[in-house]
Amino acid sequence: MARLFIGIFLPDSIQLNLLSMVPDDVRLRPAMAGQLHLTLHFLGELSDNSMVDLSQSLSALQCASFKLVLAGAGVFQQDGGRRGVLWAGILPCEPLRQLHGTVSAVIQNHGLPLEDRPWAPHITLARYSSGPPEHLKRFLNQGTALNAEFDVREFQLVQSQPGPNGSVYTSRAVFPLC
């Protein structure tokens, strides 16, 4: 069994710029460089057979490449703000919605459940679990100036393995866009 998600990884140069927005604060656990991504779908634990079958179906998709624009930043707070996630925003675009919907249909056709919560496209930059960081306001102010874009030419099936410094991601399959 492997813990999997389907996502779009960001170019290294954009990842470094986004990570530079994260305040230097002991309460924050920044995402690891090279692993910033937009999650299209979290799948959870799948058997190797299910993963192979899903990969075959995803490889047959014919979706167009598109431009993704990052803009804004925010915080998802939990436990009354004691825990949370700092994120970079994504401007809504029809090609991204179409890709998400098409992949959703493939997942459902394989009898796999979709997440219960609504999809909120974002890039997770850091997490905290002991109260909000001191420099949260500065992070949010920097987010107002965020404006980056890149061409999305592929998405991936990714295995997530917990590690002492956060999850480690390993690409299990890459699916090019037209």
Side-chain angles (χ1 to χ4, degrees), residues 34-50:
Q35 296 197 351
L36 293 185
H37 66 280
L38 163 64
T39 301
L40 290 171
H41 288 282
F42 177 74
L43 301 169
E45 299 280 336
L46 289 185
S47 69
D48 287 345
N49 288 341
S50 293

Side-chain angles (χ1 to χ4, degrees), residues 82-106:
R82 182 161 170 71
R83 295 184 313 123
V85 172
L86 278 61
W87 52 265
I90 296 172
L91 286 182
C93 70
E94 190 56 32
L96 178 60
R97 278 191 287 272
Q98 288 175 355
L99 178 61
H100 180 261
T102 301
V103 172
S104 295
V106 170

Side-chain angles (χ1 to χ4, degrees), residues 21 71-73 138-147:
M21 290 174 47
R138 187 181 80 211
F139 167 76
L140 294 171
N141 286 338
Q142 281 182 300
T144 61
L146 176 60
N147 186 3

Side-chain angles (χ1 to χ4, degrees), residues 15-35:
Q15 289 194 41
L16 293 175
N17 286 339
L18 290 175
L19 289 173
S20 73
M21 290 174 47
V22 176
D24 186 16
D25 189 309
V26 295
R27 294 181 184 178
L28 288 172
R29 293 182 315 281
M32 290 190 282
Q35 296 197 351

Side-chain angles (χ1 to χ4, degrees), residues 3 30 32 39 46 63 65 81-82 86 94 121 123 128-129 142 156 159 161 166 170 178:
R3 185 174 188 228
M32 290 190 282
T39 301
L46 289 185
C63 297
S65 60
R82 182 161 170 71
L86 278 61
E94 190 56 32
I123 310 298
Y128 64 88
S129 57
Q142 281 182 300
Q156 299 182 35
Q159 183 172 354
Q161 298 167 300
T170 305
C178 306

Side-chain angles (χ1 to χ4, degrees), residues 44-62:
E45 299 280 336
L46 289 185
S47 69
D48 287 345
N49 288 341
S50 293
M51 181 175 52
V52 168
D53 291 345
L54 181 63
S55 292
Q56 288 174 344
S57 294
L58 290 170
S59 67
L61 294 179
Q62 296 293 312

